[in-house]
Amino acid sequence: MDTDAGSDSDVCARCGEQNGSCCTLVPGQEEYCFPLSADERAVMEKAGAKPEHFFRQHNTQPFLDNLNRLFPNEADCINSLFPPDGSHDRLAITPQGSCELLGSAGCGLPRQSRPYYCLLYPFWLRHGRELYFESSNCQAQREAGGGGAGLMRRLNMTSADIRRTYRELRRAWGLPEQR
Ligand code: SF4
Ligand code: SF4
């Protein structure tokens, strides 16, 4: 796996201390959590993740709607990979909304063994263009100047890291390669 996208930024540690970071969600919104491919799960398990760190989630309509927002114009592919009567692996989440792998010192997995979505967040690609998901809870966004460029600097990410990690995520999730 080629996932040496940047390195853990000090800003993420401070973020976790203040508001729980992107490793937490609002309880009740677990079904929106991104899916984990078999390859990603295998890498995580090799790094120490246990069965209790994963959850089998039905492909609910809100989950599918969210994927279709992430991958516009790819509904046929999404429906075939995640049929409405099927299910997928996701991260297990505590009743308080934290990823079960989140410890007091941050993620319990080494960076190279984390899910692609975790490595990429808050960045994404749409129609070949880099973007980031705006979040008032993201300490890096609060500290960054200069929009996306400042955010990349703050998170030790480069444009090449973002594009490579997005490509690897697509491959792992079964989406076709984009040119
Ligand atoms: S796997 Fe690690 S980086 Fe990803 S949500 Fe869980 S604790 Fe955060
Ligand atoms: S990427 Fe943003 S939300 Fe996630 S831990 Fe880092 S600063 Fe916080």
Side-chain angles (χ1 to χ4, degrees):
M1 189 170 70
D2 182 14
T3 55
D4 192 25
S7 56
D8 278 342
S9 165
D10 60 301
V11 72
C12 292
R14 289 201 302 285
C15 178
E17 285 160 14
Q18 288 175 31
N19 54 28
S21 81
C22 50
C23 304
T24 66
L25 50 69
V26 177
Q29 297 198 338
E30 292 83 354
E31 66 189 312
Y32 290 99
C33 182
F34 58 85
L36 293 168
S37 67
D39 284 354
E40 288 174 296
R41 178 169 175 153
V43 170
M44 293 167 71
E45 287 175 333
K46 208 170 164 191
K50 304 287 182 225
E52 58 267 28
H53 294 130
F54 302 94
F55 184 86
R56 197 73 192 163
Q57 170 74 57
H58 291 299
N59 298 339
T60 61
Q61 195 56 51
F63 164 76
L64 294 170
D65 290 345
N66 197 36
L67 277 194
N68 281 308
R69 277 192 292 274
L70 286 173
F71 302 102
N73 308 325
E74 298 190 76
D76 288 349
C77 185
I78 294 297
N79 284 336
S80 139
L81 291 168
F82 302 97
D85 57 351
S87 58
H88 62 274
D89 280 335
R90 66 160 166 81
L91 296 168
I93 293 162
T94 68
Q96 293 72 38
S98 295
C99 172
E100 289 277 8
L101 282 155
L102 182 64
S104 54
C107 181
L109 295 174
R111 189 168 175 85
Q112 70 272 14
S113 303
R114 295 178 197 164
Y116 292 117
Y117 194 92
C118 300
L119 294 173
L120 195 53
Y121 186 88
F123 300 105
W124 195 250
L125 259 82
R126 189 166 293 140
H127 305 308
R129 296 188 61 178
E130 293 160 28
L131 57 84
Y132 62 92
F133 302 120
E134 290 186 24
S135 168
S136 57
N137 287 333
C138 178
Q139 182 69 17
Q141 291 183 42
R142 285 198 292 267
E143 293 182 14
L151 188 57
M152 277 193 260
R153 278 195 297 277
R154 211 66 208 83
L155 289 169
N156 299 334
M157 295 278 282
T158 65
S159 189
D161 292 331
I162 293 167
R163 287 176 181 275
R164 184 180 63 246
T165 308
Y166 179 78
R167 225 172 22 246
E168 289 171 345
L169 179 150
R170 286 187 66 96
R171 191 181 309 135
W173 291 10
L175 289 145
E177 192 173 346
Q178 286 185 322
R179 304 211 169 266

Short mmCIF file of all heavy atoms in Angstrom, two decimals, residues 23 91 99 101-102 107 109 114-115 118, ligand 1:
data_model
loop_
_atom_site.label_atom_id
_atom_site.label_comp_id
_atom_site.label_asym_id
_atom_site.label_seq_id
_atom_site.Cartn_x
_atom_site.Cartn_y
_atom_site.Cartn_z
N CYS A 23 -12.43 12.28 14.13
CA CYS A 23 -12.58 10.86 14.53
C CYS A 23 -13.84 10.66 15.35
O CYS A 23 -14.04 9.59 15.95
CB CYS A 23 -11.36 10.41 15.31
SG CYS A 23 -9.80 10.64 14.43
N LEU A 91 -16.19 1.67 10.59
CA LEU A 91 -15.56 1.75 11.90
C LEU A 91 -16.62 1.58 12.99
O LEU A 91 -17.74 2.11 12.85
CB LEU A 91 -14.87 3.11 12.08
CG LEU A 91 -13.70 3.38 11.14
CD1 LEU A 91 -13.31 4.87 11.22
CD2 LEU A 91 -12.51 2.50 11.47
N CYS A 99 -14.69 7.13 17.28
CA CYS A 99 -14.18 5.89 16.67
C CYS A 99 -13.57 5.05 17.79
O CYS A 99 -12.86 5.56 18.66
CB CYS A 99 -13.12 6.25 15.63
SG CYS A 99 -12.26 4.81 14.97
N LEU A 101 -11.19 3.21 17.71
CA LEU A 101 -9.73 3.18 17.63
C LEU A 101 -9.09 4.46 18.14
O LEU A 101 -7.87 4.59 18.16
CB LEU A 101 -9.30 2.93 16.17
CG LEU A 101 -9.42 1.47 15.72
CD1 LEU A 101 -9.59 1.38 14.22
CD2 LEU A 101 -8.22 0.67 16.18
N LEU A 102 -9.90 5.42 18.54
CA LEU A 102 -9.36 6.69 19.01
C LEU A 102 -8.99 6.57 20.48
O LEU A 102 -9.83 6.24 21.32
CB LEU A 102 -10.41 7.79 18.82
CG LEU A 102 -9.98 9.20 19.22
CD1 LEU A 102 -8.83 9.69 18.34
CD2 LEU A 102 -11.17 10.17 19.12
N CYS A 107 -5.18 8.45 17.11
CA CYS A 107 -5.54 7.17 16.49
C CYS A 107 -4.61 6.06 16.97
O CYS A 107 -3.40 6.24 17.05
CB CYS A 107 -5.43 7.31 14.97
SG CYS A 107 -5.89 5.79 14.10
N LEU A 109 -3.90 3.45 15.37
CA LEU A 109 -3.23 2.80 14.25
C LEU A 109 -2.09 3.67 13.74
O LEU A 109 -2.21 4.90 13.72
CB LEU A 109 -4.21 2.59 13.08
CG LEU A 109 -5.38 1.63 13.32
CD1 LEU A 109 -6.31 1.67 12.11
CD2 LEU A 109 -4.89 0.22 13.57
N ARG A 114 -4.09 3.32 8.37
CA ARG A 114 -5.43 3.89 8.57
C ARG A 114 -6.24 3.85 7.29
O ARG A 114 -5.69 3.80 6.18
CB ARG A 114 -5.29 5.36 9.04
CG ARG A 114 -4.64 5.44 10.40
CD ARG A 114 -4.46 6.89 10.84
NE ARG A 114 -3.50 6.94 11.93
CZ ARG A 114 -2.89 8.04 12.35
NH1 ARG A 114 -3.17 9.20 11.78
NH2 ARG A 114 -2.03 7.99 13.35
N PRO A 115 -7.57 3.91 7.43
CA PRO A 115 -8.41 3.94 6.23
C PRO A 115 -8.07 5.15 5.35
O PRO A 115 -7.66 6.20 5.84
CB PRO A 115 -9.83 4.10 6.82
CG PRO A 115 -9.74 3.63 8.22
CD PRO A 115 -8.35 3.94 8.68
N CYS A 118 -9.69 8.46 6.23
CA CYS A 118 -9.06 9.15 7.37
C CYS A 118 -7.82 9.89 6.91
O CYS A 118 -7.54 11.00 7.36
CB CYS A 118 -8.68 8.15 8.46
SG CYS A 118 -10.06 7.22 9.14
S1 SF4 B 1 -9.29 4.90 12.29
FE1 SF4 B 1 -8.01 6.37 13.41
S2 SF4 B 1 -7.95 8.22 12.12
FE2 SF4 B 1 -9.69 6.95 11.43
S3 SF4 B 1 -11.48 7.70 12.57
FE3 SF4 B 1 -10.60 5.99 13.75
S4 SF4 B 1 -9.21 6.94 15.22
FE4 SF4 B 1 -9.63 8.46 13.60
#
